[in-house]
Amino acid sequence: MKTTRMSKIFPLFLACFLMFYCALTEASPNAPVPTGEISLQIDPLRNRLTVLIDGVVYKQFPIALGKPETPTPAGEWMVLNKYKNWGSGFGTRWIGLNVPWGIYGIHGTNKPGSIGHDASHGCVRMLNRHVEELYEWVEPGTPVTILGHPLREPQLEPRRLAAGDSGSDVLLIQSRLRSAGFYKGIPDGRFGLSTEKALKSFEEANGLPVDGVMSLHDYRGMGLLE
């Protein structure tokens, strides 16, 4: 009797679980255009994009994000532009973000198997049918929050940075060097010659190896690592 009862309950439980999972990860077809103040939140730990309406969760989508060596930029951004069929490899829709040091956006993909993984060069990938739905909801100026720390996820060491690199971590380093009086420019997230010069001055002043390359001892010297 007990075995028979469990054999009836388990399929019901499995069906409920699958319905919940699909509701979480899939956009329902022909969903109405939401009314209210729209904002987007991107969670790199869960590879999930959440659409908020007036601060309340409206829809969630599975996404792909940047590889560890090319992370998706954490921070508070806005939609800058949007285009249909923007270019090869970007799927059917492009939603650009106002990241100052490069071209980053939310877009479709011709590699649907990458969704759910850290697989891009920093952009946010979505299934084409999902980004086509999102495209109709957002406009230039829509707030986009990418969660996370500029120095990457807790289990990863910060990137080794040198001239030519860019990212949220570079922006953080420039801000630290500026507040300490070594960097005179405006932080822009681009590791150029002025950032290298400022870092060398910091290293010399703090008795660190002077090479202008942001390494673990420099992160510790700035109080960014214990």
Side-chain angles (χ1 to χ4, degrees):
M1 179 69 68
K2 186 174 182 180
T3 302
T4 302
R5 184 178 300 169
M6 286 299 295
S7 66
K8 292 180 179 179
I9 293 175
F10 181 74
L12 180 61
F13 170 79
L14 180 61
C16 290
F17 173 80
L18 290 174
M19 289 176 62
F20 172 78
Y21 180 80
C22 290
L24 176 66
T25 60
E26 297 291 333
S28 59
N30 302 317
V33 176
T35 58
E37 184 176 343
I38 299 176
S39 61
L40 307 181
Q41 185 183 87
I42 293 168
D43 186 343
L45 293 179
R46 296 175 176 82
N47 286 77
R48 184 169 65 195
L49 183 151
T50 299
V51 180
L52 301 158
I53 307 298
D54 295 326
V56 178
V57 174
Y58 177 75
K59 187 79 70 175
Q60 294 180 317
F61 299 94
I63 55 177
L65 292 167
K67 302 173 185 177
E69 61 271 23
T70 55
T72 301
E76 300 286 338
W77 313 113
M78 291 191 304
V79 172
L80 179 65
N81 50 45
K82 56 182 217 175
Y83 300 104
K84 296 181 178 180
N85 302 310
W86 191 59
S88 176
F90 296 98
T92 57
R93 299 292 186 273
W94 166 268
I95 301 170
L97 304 179
N98 66 331
V99 180
W101 58 81
I103 299 175
Y104 293 87
I106 303 166
H107 61 80
T109 181
N110 56 5
K111 298 179 180 179
S114 67
I115 300 300
H117 303 281
D118 296 336
S120 78
H121 292 290
C123 286
V124 178
R125 293 180 187 172
M126 302 180 70
L127 295 175
N128 286 325
R129 67 180 184 274
H130 290 172
V131 76
E132 286 171 10
E133 186 170 18
L134 182 66
Y135 183 92
E136 300 301 325
W137 301 347
V138 301
E139 297 294 340
T142 299
V144 180
T145 299
I146 301 179
L147 303 175
H149 194 280
L151 301 186
R152 304 198 301 181
E153 297 173 12
Q155 72 274 18
L156 300 174
E157 289 185 348
R159 290 196 301 166
R160 187 173 183 269
L161 301 171
D165 289 325
S166 60
S168 300
D169 42 9
V170 176
L171 188 69
L172 174 61
I173 299 310
Q174 290 173 327
S175 298
R176 285 296 179 103
L177 291 171
R178 180 182 172 89
S179 64
F182 295 100
Y183 184 70
K184 306 302 182 184
I186 298 174
D188 60 3
R190 300 177 186 272
F191 199 125
L193 294 179
S194 58
T195 304
E196 182 181 273
K197 181 180 178 181
L199 179 55
K200 285 182 177 179
S201 297
F202 171 84
E203 291 170 334
E204 184 176 6
N206 288 273
L208 300 170
V210 180
D211 57 6
V213 176
M214 194 70 192
S215 303
L216 290 179
H217 54 258
D218 297 300
Y219 285 107
R220 294 190 182 98
M222 291 184 187
L224 296 172
L225 285 180
E226 295 182 357

